[in-house]
Amino acid sequence: MIITEIWILFVLIFFQKEVNSDSLQTQILEARQLFPFRSYKDVQLFHYTIPMQVTFASFQYKANGSFHCPSKTVAVYLQYGSYPVMSLQNSTYPDFFAVHRLFLHDITLKSDFVPVMINITNPLPGNWYAAAFLIENTDRIAQKGLFTPCLSWLSSSLKFNATDDVISLLQDTEIAQSISSVQLYRFFALKNSWSSIIYLTNCSSQGPCPVIIRARQLGLPSANDTNTLQVNCGFSDDCFLKIIPAANNWNYFSVESAVTGILHFNLIIKTESCKDSSPDIDDQDELTDIAENDVNFKDNSNNSVFQNTLCWPNIPLIRISLPTNLAFEYNLPPEEEDAYPFILNISNTKFTLTSFDVLSTVDIGGTLVIELAVSPFMNLSQNNVSVSGCLSYGIRPHSDDINCSDGRRLAANTTSWENRLSTLFVPYPEAGIWYFRLEARCYSSNSTNSSILFIPCELPETPVFLRIRSTPCVSGHCGRYGTCYQYVSGGLIFSTCNCIAGWKGWGCTDNSTARSDSELMLDVLLLTLSNLLFIPAIVLSAYRKYYTEAFIYFATMASSAFYHACDAEVYSFCLIRLNVLQFCDFYLAILSIWVTLIAMAKLPNAVQSFVHMAGAVGVALGVEYDRTGLWVFVLPTGIGLVILLTSWVTRCYKKHLCYPNRKTWLFGLLPGTLLASSGLIIYAFFETKDNYSFVHSAWHATIALSVLFLLPKGKSSCKSTPEPTSSCSYIRVGDIGCHDASQPTGTPYAHLLAPTP
């Protein structure tokens, strides 16, 4: 019994020690196959979760590839709150795109098993996302099955240290502190908090207090972080730091002593709130629950909140979820008739504020669109009006930041109709609270020197149009040279544009590598009209009474032409669905090879009919199973060649003559084989994205012209086994055609076939 109690006491002491010290935790993500980057759909997304109060995080990446292949270059972009937004292929963004990211990190590594780390001190808690892909410059089209694929995988892990040595403070409650180095603190700001001031008083040091206060919203402060505010109290008698707190969230600060030994001082947090009275019941209950559940709170006294006369008017918005993925809207509250108003009246004397939420996972894969316009129904007889908007993430814009240097800015004015509307796009917006600050100013313009003079407005408010929404891609579209798609990677959904015709960029608006319309039209004409070279083969087949083969060649010509017309970029015409046309193109191309080999074999009619049907069924199964694979071409061709050679050897054995003869080999089989082989070689080894139309058209031409040489002479009109019609003992049968033994007259061997008296 005593031993059991001692063991329990040891476990409790050890557990308490672990809780009070930094703890190392690990998240391991399964290895994922990487792909060369052509558009954002090719990236692999990784998701990490970092808890609160993490002092250090290390994201480790290790890539490996196929053993027979050289190492490849892997790019990894890491972003807090949403998917990374990066400019790749030296492409530009569409107009009015805000792509500045505060917490974006990137690295490159090789697929050689050597790990590379991204180390972050005091990372923000919440969701982090990484996008990884291969960097390859080759445009070669590798035929499936001919080359051993070089695959690459990326494994990832996250290790972080979380600390519990953070003291939670109640606002407006002074506490005494004693520190020897650095101490971390935090306080919770309610949803209506406007500004907070950290006061440090009664310092035990003689003169100014030798400490540095660093504060940061949402996460632990860091000396090297640009978002961390700090003040050095060793240079002034008053020691305080004023910050804009993250509403409805934790805010952190640290006090660092610059002297050796113990330093004593008092701390107090005062917060201004935009409420007319003390906290309502919901806010007070929320604060009480936080205090009761946190063992580090020093005092359970109530939080005092007082009204700030500098607070801006706050316009509430309501969320409307749309049936389309990644689509939502924020509108003004409905009026009496349940109609959503479009016009918002903003103050002409102070800023107007509104806010909205971007939800994690379900919202971050689209594009946030902010549209701001001056009402067209304003009376502008006395002055013009300009309206500016400042969009910021996580923290309300500072009142001193007139130019919105820390956010994204919009501007509209009434100088012209074109300037009345301003639009801002934010791709893959970070999850959390977004703030939008509005300001209206009146001005008069001098036509002589084009100067602008701001003047007081006659009316207290200005009507503006404000629309906040989310759409896939760029307002659901990607312009003329792209298509908007939605993809899922690692369980995460996102939208992206797939560009064509050499256009690139986030919205397919970068034409630096775009192809001209004449080049695009030339590609279509080459790929479609090159199939007309099957016409000589069709005519020759019909002339030699190979009607089945003629029909297959015609169907091959038509399906290939319509498929390439439908698959063309920009100038396309689809008779039926592209997938059906692709099946017909591959199926009939292989079937045309099959019927040509069977025709060359000259099988008996009954056997030939069976072989044709068996080949048609087998090729259909193969094409449906894997229409782009190597074996779907090799297997029918190989079986056809075996049947052909078997038939030729059998003929040689029965006739005791070489079949086909030398003339057929020299003027038929040899040039036909060379044409077909050259077409197969350039098709398999020399196709690239740049020369595709020329090389593939050459493949059409060589295969179509090879039929003219490979197709045998006309079919025999006699039966496969001649039946003697007389008692003649000798019959001479030529290589092509039949001789009737019952009519010896006129034949070269008539004297040998004459009856013996």
PDB file of all heavy atoms in Angstrom, residues 16-43:
ATOM      1  N   GLN A  16       3.204  17.075 -12.991  1.00  0.00           N
ATOM      2  CA  GLN A  16       3.199  18.508 -12.730  1.00  0.00           C
ATOM      3  C   GLN A  16       4.422  19.176 -13.322  1.00  0.00           C
ATOM      4  O   GLN A  16       4.363  20.278 -13.868  1.00  0.00           O
ATOM      5  CB  GLN A  16       3.143  18.744 -11.216  1.00  0.00           C
ATOM      6  CG  GLN A  16       3.044  20.203 -10.832  1.00  0.00           C
ATOM      7  CD  GLN A  16       1.712  20.808 -11.224  1.00  0.00           C
ATOM      8  OE1 GLN A  16       0.718  20.095 -11.360  1.00  0.00           O
ATOM      9  NE2 GLN A  16       1.697  22.116 -11.444  1.00  0.00           N
ATOM     10  N   LYS A  17       5.547  18.495 -13.296  1.00  0.00           N
ATOM     11  CA  LYS A  17       6.769  19.043 -13.880  1.00  0.00           C
ATOM     12  C   LYS A  17       6.642  19.176 -15.385  1.00  0.00           C
ATOM     13  O   LYS A  17       7.071  20.165 -15.980  1.00  0.00           O
ATOM     14  CB  LYS A  17       7.952  18.152 -13.508  1.00  0.00           C
ATOM     15  CG  LYS A  17       9.270  18.651 -14.065  1.00  0.00           C
ATOM     16  CD  LYS A  17      10.400  17.724 -13.656  1.00  0.00           C
ATOM     17  CE  LYS A  17      11.724  18.205 -14.239  1.00  0.00           C
ATOM     18  NZ  LYS A  17      12.843  17.304 -13.882  1.00  0.00           N
ATOM     19  N   GLU A  18       6.016  18.193 -16.014  1.00  0.00           N
ATOM     20  CA  GLU A  18       5.855  18.257 -17.460  1.00  0.00           C
ATOM     21  C   GLU A  18       4.908  19.382 -17.864  1.00  0.00           C
ATOM     22  O   GLU A  18       5.099  20.044 -18.862  1.00  0.00           O
ATOM     23  CB  GLU A  18       5.332  16.915 -17.991  1.00  0.00           C
ATOM     24  CG  GLU A  18       6.355  15.787 -18.017  1.00  0.00           C
ATOM     25  CD  GLU A  18       7.482  16.094 -18.973  1.00  0.00           C
ATOM     26  OE1 GLU A  18       7.193  16.495 -20.105  1.00  0.00           O
ATOM     27  OE2 GLU A  18       8.653  15.949 -18.574  1.00  0.00           O
ATOM     28  N   VAL A  19       3.865  19.605 -17.085  1.00  0.00           N
ATOM     29  CA  VAL A  19       2.893  20.636 -17.423  1.00  0.00           C
ATOM     30  C   VAL A  19       3.508  22.027 -17.317  1.00  0.00           C
ATOM     31  O   VAL A  19       3.282  22.903 -18.139  1.00  0.00           O
ATOM     32  CB  VAL A  19       1.653  20.505 -16.513  1.00  0.00           C
ATOM     33  CG1 VAL A  19       0.756  21.729 -16.655  1.00  0.00           C
ATOM     34  CG2 VAL A  19       0.888  19.247 -16.859  1.00  0.00           C
ATOM     35  N   ASN A  20       4.341  22.229 -16.317  1.00  0.00           N
ATOM     36  CA  ASN A  20       4.881  23.549 -16.064  1.00  0.00           C
ATOM     37  C   ASN A  20       6.088  23.889 -16.926  1.00  0.00           C
ATOM     38  O   ASN A  20       6.633  24.970 -16.831  1.00  0.00           O
ATOM     39  CB  ASN A  20       5.267  23.669 -14.583  1.00  0.00           C
ATOM     40  CG  ASN A  20       4.035  23.638 -13.690  1.00  0.00           C
ATOM     41  OD1 ASN A  20       2.958  24.013 -14.118  1.00  0.00           O
ATOM     42  ND2 ASN A  20       4.197  23.175 -12.453  1.00  0.00           N
ATOM     43  N   SER A  21       6.578  22.953 -17.708  1.00  0.00           N
ATOM     44  CA  SER A  21       7.735  23.202 -18.559  1.00  0.00           C
ATOM     45  C   SER A  21       7.330  23.158 -20.014  1.00  0.00           C
ATOM     46  O   SER A  21       6.244  22.711 -20.353  1.00  0.00           O
ATOM     47  CB  SER A  21       8.830  22.161 -18.286  1.00  0.00           C
ATOM     48  OG  SER A  21       8.338  20.867 -18.589  1.00  0.00           O
ATOM     49  N   ASP A  22       8.208  23.639 -20.888  1.00  0.00           N
ATOM     50  CA  ASP A  22       7.945  23.567 -22.318  1.00  0.00           C
ATOM     51  C   ASP A  22       7.845  22.118 -22.747  1.00  0.00           C
ATOM     52  O   ASP A  22       8.642  21.272 -22.329  1.00  0.00           O
ATOM     53  CB  ASP A  22       9.056  24.260 -23.098  1.00  0.00           C
ATOM     54  CG  ASP A  22       9.013  25.766 -22.877  1.00  0.00           C
ATOM     55  OD1 ASP A  22       8.099  26.217 -22.173  1.00  0.00           O
ATOM     56  OD2 ASP A  22       9.906  26.458 -23.400  1.00  0.00           O
ATOM     57  N   SER A  23       6.898  21.817 -23.598  1.00  0.00           N
ATOM     58  CA  SER A  23       6.687  20.446 -24.056  1.00  0.00           C
ATOM     59  C   SER A  23       6.897  20.386 -25.558  1.00  0.00           C
ATOM     60  O   SER A  23       6.446  21.268 -26.291  1.00  0.00           O
ATOM     61  CB  SER A  23       5.274  19.966 -23.699  1.00  0.00           C
ATOM     62  OG  SER A  23       4.297  20.822 -24.258  1.00  0.00           O
ATOM     63  N   LEU A  24       7.576  19.355 -26.014  1.00  0.00           N
ATOM     64  CA  LEU A  24       7.835  19.147 -27.430  1.00  0.00           C
ATOM     65  C   LEU A  24       6.761  18.243 -28.013  1.00  0.00           C
ATOM     66  O   LEU A  24       6.525  17.145 -27.501  1.00  0.00           O
ATOM     67  CB  LEU A  24       9.215  18.522 -27.633  1.00  0.00           C
ATOM     68  CG  LEU A  24       9.600  18.196 -29.081  1.00  0.00           C
ATOM     69  CD1 LEU A  24       9.693  19.469 -29.904  1.00  0.00           C
ATOM     70  CD2 LEU A  24      10.921  17.432 -29.129  1.00  0.00           C
ATOM     71  N   GLN A  25       6.109  18.702 -29.077  1.00  0.00           N
ATOM     72  CA  GLN A  25       5.061  17.923 -29.724  1.00  0.00           C
ATOM     73  C   GLN A  25       5.384  17.795 -31.207  1.00  0.00           C
ATOM     74  O   GLN A  25       6.090  18.628 -31.779  1.00  0.00           O
ATOM     75  CB  GLN A  25       3.695  18.584 -29.527  1.00  0.00           C
ATOM     76  CG  GLN A  25       3.315  18.773 -28.070  1.00  0.00           C
ATOM     77  CD  GLN A  25       1.956  19.406 -27.913  1.00  0.00           C
ATOM     78  OE1 GLN A  25       1.014  19.074 -28.642  1.00  0.00           O
ATOM     79  NE2 GLN A  25       1.835  20.334 -26.961  1.00  0.00           N
ATOM     80  N   THR A  26       4.840  16.743 -31.806  1.00  0.00           N
ATOM     81  CA  THR A  26       5.164  16.438 -33.204  1.00  0.00           C
ATOM     82  C   THR A  26       3.897  16.112 -33.974  1.00  0.00           C
ATOM     83  O   THR A  26       3.001  15.425 -33.463  1.00  0.00           O
ATOM     84  CB  THR A  26       6.139  15.253 -33.285  1.00  0.00           C
ATOM     85  OG1 THR A  26       7.306  15.543 -32.536  1.00  0.00           O
ATOM     86  CG2 THR A  26       6.526  14.977 -34.736  1.00  0.00           C
ATOM     87  N   GLN A  27       3.815  16.625 -35.187  1.00  0.00           N
ATOM     88  CA  GLN A  27       2.774  16.240 -36.149  1.00  0.00           C
ATOM     89  C   GLN A  27       3.471  15.702 -37.393  1.00  0.00           C
ATOM     90  O   GLN A  27       4.349  16.363 -37.944  1.00  0.00           O
ATOM     91  CB  GLN A  27       1.893  17.433 -36.526  1.00  0.00           C
ATOM     92  CG  GLN A  27       1.082  18.001 -35.373  1.00  0.00           C
ATOM     93  CD  GLN A  27       0.269  19.213 -35.793  1.00  0.00           C
ATOM     94  OE1 GLN A  27       0.113  19.500 -36.977  1.00  0.00           O
ATOM     95  NE2 GLN A  27      -0.254  19.939 -34.801  1.00  0.00           N
ATOM     96  N   ILE A  28       3.085  14.495 -37.811  1.00  0.00           N
ATOM     97  CA  ILE A  28       3.702  13.856 -38.974  1.00  0.00           C
ATOM     98  C   ILE A  28       2.644  13.708 -40.063  1.00  0.00           C
ATOM     99  O   ILE A  28       1.552  13.183 -39.815  1.00  0.00           O
ATOM    100  CB  ILE A  28       4.290  12.481 -38.601  1.00  0.00           C
ATOM    101  CG1 ILE A  28       5.379  12.649 -37.523  1.00  0.00           C
ATOM    102  CG2 ILE A  28       4.870  11.799 -39.829  1.00  0.00           C
ATOM    103  CD1 ILE A  28       5.967  11.344 -37.039  1.00  0.00           C
ATOM    104  N   LEU A  29       2.962  14.158 -41.251  1.00  0.00           N
ATOM    105  CA  LEU A  29       2.057  14.056 -42.391  1.00  0.00           C
ATOM    106  C   LEU A  29       2.566  12.995 -43.356  1.00  0.00           C
ATOM    107  O   LEU A  29       3.779  12.864 -43.568  1.00  0.00           O
ATOM    108  CB  LEU A  29       1.941  15.391 -43.125  1.00  0.00           C
ATOM    109  CG  LEU A  29       0.953  16.409 -42.530  1.00  0.00           C
ATOM    110  CD1 LEU A  29       1.394  16.887 -41.156  1.00  0.00           C
ATOM    111  CD2 LEU A  29       0.765  17.594 -43.467  1.00  0.00           C
ATOM    112  N   GLU A  30       1.648  12.256 -43.929  1.00  0.00           N
ATOM    113  CA  GLU A  30       2.001  11.174 -44.844  1.00  0.00           C
ATOM    114  C   GLU A  30       2.637  11.726 -46.118  1.00  0.00           C
ATOM    115  O   GLU A  30       2.291  12.815 -46.588  1.00  0.00           O
ATOM    116  CB  GLU A  30       0.756  10.372 -45.191  1.00  0.00           C
ATOM    117  CG  GLU A  30       1.012   9.147 -46.046  1.00  0.00           C
ATOM    118  CD  GLU A  30      -0.259   8.376 -46.348  1.00  0.00           C
ATOM    119  OE1 GLU A  30      -1.325   8.789 -45.849  1.00  0.00           O
ATOM    120  OE2 GLU A  30      -0.186   7.382 -47.072  1.00  0.00           O
ATOM    121  N   ALA A  31       3.591  10.956 -46.659  1.00  0.00           N
ATOM    122  CA  ALA A  31       4.274  11.378 -47.889  1.00  0.00           C
ATOM    123  C   ALA A  31       3.273  11.468 -49.041  1.00  0.00           C
ATOM    124  O   ALA A  31       2.377  10.637 -49.181  1.00  0.00           O
ATOM    125  CB  ALA A  31       5.398  10.410 -48.230  1.00  0.00           C
ATOM    126  N   ARG A  32       3.461  12.486 -49.873  1.00  0.00           N
ATOM    127  CA  ARG A  32       2.563  12.727 -51.012  1.00  0.00           C
ATOM    128  C   ARG A  32       3.384  12.827 -52.288  1.00  0.00           C
ATOM    129  O   ARG A  32       4.500  13.375 -52.288  1.00  0.00           O
ATOM    130  CB  ARG A  32       1.798  14.028 -50.799  1.00  0.00           C
ATOM    131  CG  ARG A  32       1.090  14.124 -49.449  1.00  0.00           C
ATOM    132  CD  ARG A  32      -0.308  13.612 -49.516  1.00  0.00           C
ATOM    133  NE  ARG A  32      -1.122  14.527 -50.291  1.00  0.00           N
ATOM    134  CZ  ARG A  32      -1.635  15.650 -49.784  1.00  0.00           C
ATOM    135  NH1 ARG A  32      -1.391  15.994 -48.536  1.00  0.00           N
ATOM    136  NH2 ARG A  32      -2.391  16.422 -50.533  1.00  0.00           N
ATOM    137  N   GLN A  33       2.833  12.308 -53.380  1.00  0.00           N
ATOM    138  CA  GLN A  33       3.521  12.398 -54.666  1.00  0.00           C
ATOM    139  C   GLN A  33       3.428  13.819 -55.209  1.00  0.00           C
ATOM    140  O   GLN A  33       2.391  14.476 -55.134  1.00  0.00           O
ATOM    141  CB  GLN A  33       2.909  11.427 -55.676  1.00  0.00           C
ATOM    142  CG  GLN A  33       3.623  11.417 -57.018  1.00  0.00           C
ATOM    143  CD  GLN A  33       2.992  10.454 -58.007  1.00  0.00           C
ATOM    144  OE1 GLN A  33       2.143   9.645 -57.649  1.00  0.00           O
ATOM    145  NE2 GLN A  33       3.394  10.548 -59.259  1.00  0.00           N
ATOM    146  N   LEU A  34       4.536  14.300 -55.762  1.00  0.00           N
ATOM    147  CA  LEU A  34       4.611  15.649 -56.301  1.00  0.00           C
ATOM    148  C   LEU A  34       4.519  15.631 -57.820  1.00  0.00           C
ATOM    149  O   LEU A  34       4.863  14.636 -58.463  1.00  0.00           O
ATOM    150  CB  LEU A  34       5.914  16.324 -55.868  1.00  0.00           C
ATOM    151  CG  LEU A  34       6.136  16.463 -54.362  1.00  0.00           C
ATOM    152  CD1 LEU A  34       7.476  17.116 -54.086  1.00  0.00           C
ATOM    153  CD2 LEU A  34       5.015  17.263 -53.714  1.00  0.00           C
ATOM    154  N   PHE A  35       4.089  16.753 -58.388  1.00  0.00           N
ATOM    155  CA  PHE A  35       3.900  16.872 -59.825  1.00  0.00           C
ATOM    156  C   PHE A  35       4.530  18.171 -60.317  1.00  0.00           C
ATOM    157  O   PHE A  35       4.615  19.153 -59.575  1.00  0.00           O
ATOM    158  CB  PHE A  35       2.412  16.852 -60.179  1.00  0.00           C
ATOM    159  CG  PHE A  35       1.687  15.635 -59.688  1.00  0.00           C
ATOM    160  CD1 PHE A  35       1.005  15.651 -58.481  1.00  0.00           C
ATOM    161  CD2 PHE A  35       1.709  14.462 -60.414  1.00  0.00           C
ATOM    162  CE1 PHE A  35       0.346  14.535 -58.017  1.00  0.00           C
ATOM    163  CE2 PHE A  35       1.051  13.333 -59.959  1.00  0.00           C
ATOM    164  CZ  PHE A  35       0.368  13.367 -58.760  1.00  0.00           C
ATOM    165  N   PRO A  36       4.973  18.190 -61.576  1.00  0.00           N
ATOM    166  CA  PRO A  36       5.511  19.446 -62.137  1.00  0.00           C
ATOM    167  C   PRO A  36       4.435  20.520 -62.174  1.00  0.00           C
ATOM    168  O   PRO A  36       3.269  20.244 -62.446  1.00  0.00           O
ATOM    169  CB  PRO A  36       5.966  19.043 -63.548  1.00  0.00           C
ATOM    170  CG  PRO A  36       6.121  17.562 -63.496  1.00  0.00           C
ATOM    171  CD  PRO A  36       5.107  17.055 -62.519  1.00  0.00           C
ATOM    172  N   PHE A  37       4.837  21.743 -61.909  1.00  0.00           N
ATOM    173  CA  PHE A  37       3.876  22.837 -61.833  1.00  0.00           C
ATOM    174  C   PHE A  37       3.530  23.348 -63.227  1.00  0.00           C
ATOM    175  O   PHE A  37       4.408  23.734 -63.995  1.00  0.00           O
ATOM    176  CB  PHE A  37       4.430  23.985 -60.991  1.00  0.00           C
ATOM    177  CG  PHE A  37       3.452  25.105 -60.812  1.00  0.00           C
ATOM    178  CD1 PHE A  37       2.538  25.072 -59.781  1.00  0.00           C
ATOM    179  CD2 PHE A  37       3.439  26.189 -61.679  1.00  0.00           C
ATOM    180  CE1 PHE A  37       1.625  26.106 -59.615  1.00  0.00           C
ATOM    181  CE2 PHE A  37       2.539  27.217 -61.523  1.00  0.00           C
ATOM    182  CZ  PHE A  37       1.625  27.175 -60.483  1.00  0.00           C
ATOM    183  N   ARG A  38       2.262  23.273 -63.567  1.00  0.00           N
ATOM    184  CA  ARG A  38       1.726  23.918 -64.764  1.00  0.00           C
ATOM    185  C   ARG A  38       0.692  24.976 -64.377  1.00  0.00           C
ATOM    186  O   ARG A  38       0.609  26.024 -64.985  1.00  0.00           O
ATOM    187  CB  ARG A  38       1.085  22.875 -65.686  1.00  0.00           C
ATOM    188  CG  ARG A  38       2.058  21.802 -66.177  1.00  0.00           C
ATOM    189  CD  ARG A  38       3.089  22.365 -67.131  1.00  0.00           C
ATOM    190  NE  ARG A  38       4.004  21.340 -67.615  1.00  0.00           N
ATOM    191  CZ  ARG A  38       5.163  21.041 -67.070  1.00  0.00           C
ATOM    192  NH1 ARG A  38       5.558  21.722 -65.991  1.00  0.00           N
ATOM    193  NH2 ARG A  38       5.941  20.102 -67.539  1.00  0.00           N
ATOM    194  N   SER A  39      -0.102  24.653 -63.352  1.00  0.00           N
ATOM    195  CA  SER A  39      -1.022  25.605 -62.746  1.00  0.00           C
ATOM    196  C   SER A  39      -1.227  25.184 -61.299  1.00  0.00           C
ATOM    197  O   SER A  39      -0.670  24.178 -60.851  1.00  0.00           O
ATOM    198  CB  SER A  39      -2.365  25.643 -63.504  1.00  0.00           C
ATOM    199  OG  SER A  39      -3.030  24.396 -63.379  1.00  0.00           O
ATOM    200  N   TYR A  40      -2.028  25.946 -60.562  1.00  0.00           N
ATOM    201  CA  TYR A  40      -2.159  25.682 -59.130  1.00  0.00           C
ATOM    202  C   TYR A  40      -2.774  24.314 -58.865  1.00  0.00           C
ATOM    203  O   TYR A  40      -2.631  23.758 -57.777  1.00  0.00           O
ATOM    204  CB  TYR A  40      -3.003  26.772 -58.476  1.00  0.00           C
ATOM    205  CG  TYR A  40      -2.680  27.000 -57.018  1.00  0.00           C
ATOM    206  CD1 TYR A  40      -1.788  27.985 -56.634  1.00  0.00           C
ATOM    207  CD2 TYR A  40      -3.246  26.223 -56.018  1.00  0.00           C
ATOM    208  CE1 TYR A  40      -1.473  28.196 -55.297  1.00  0.00           C
ATOM    209  CE2 TYR A  40      -2.942  26.427 -54.683  1.00  0.00           C
ATOM    210  CZ  TYR A  40      -2.054  27.412 -54.330  1.00  0.00           C
ATOM    211  OH  TYR A  40      -1.737  27.601 -53.004  1.00  0.00           O
ATOM    212  N   LYS A  41      -3.440  23.729 -59.833  1.00  0.00           N
ATOM    213  CA  LYS A  41      -4.028  22.403 -59.637  1.00  0.00           C
ATOM    214  C   LYS A  41      -2.978  21.325 -59.425  1.00  0.00           C
ATOM    215  O   LYS A  41      -3.288  20.233 -58.933  1.00  0.00           O
ATOM    216  CB  LYS A  41      -4.892  22.029 -60.843  1.00  0.00           C
ATOM    217  CG  LYS A  41      -4.110  21.779 -62.117  1.00  0.00           C
ATOM    218  CD  LYS A  41      -5.009  21.400 -63.279  1.00  0.00           C
ATOM    219  CE  LYS A  41      -4.208  21.180 -64.558  1.00  0.00           C
ATOM    220  NZ  LYS A  41      -3.274  20.052 -64.430  1.00  0.00           N
ATOM    221  N   ASP A  42      -1.730  21.597 -59.779  1.00  0.00           N
ATOM    222  CA  ASP A  42      -0.669  20.605 -59.666  1.00  0.00           C
ATOM    223  C   ASP A  42      -0.013  20.582 -58.293  1.00  0.00           C
ATOM    224  O   ASP A  42       0.854  19.732 -58.056  1.00  0.00           O
ATOM    225  CB  ASP A  42       0.404  20.869 -60.731  1.00  0.00           C
ATOM    226  CG  ASP A  42      -0.148  20.801 -62.142  1.00  0.00           C
ATOM    227  OD1 ASP A  42      -0.912  19.869 -62.421  1.00  0.00           O
ATOM    228  OD2 ASP A  42       0.173  21.681 -62.955  1.00  0.00           O
ATOM    229  N   VAL A  43      -0.373  21.481 -57.398  1.00  0.00           N
ATOM    230  CA  VAL A  43       0.288  21.530 -56.099  1.00  0.00           C
ATOM    231  C   VAL A  43      -0.310  20.488 -55.169  1.00  0.00           C
ATOM    232  O   VAL A  43      -1.464  20.062 -55.332  1.00  0.00           O
ATOM    233  CB  VAL A  43       0.179  22.933 -55.460  1.00  0.00           C
ATOM    234  CG1 VAL A  43       0.699  24.005 -56.393  1.00  0.00           C
ATOM    235  CG2 VAL A  43      -1.257  23.235 -55.052  1.00  0.00           C
TER     236      VAL A  43
END
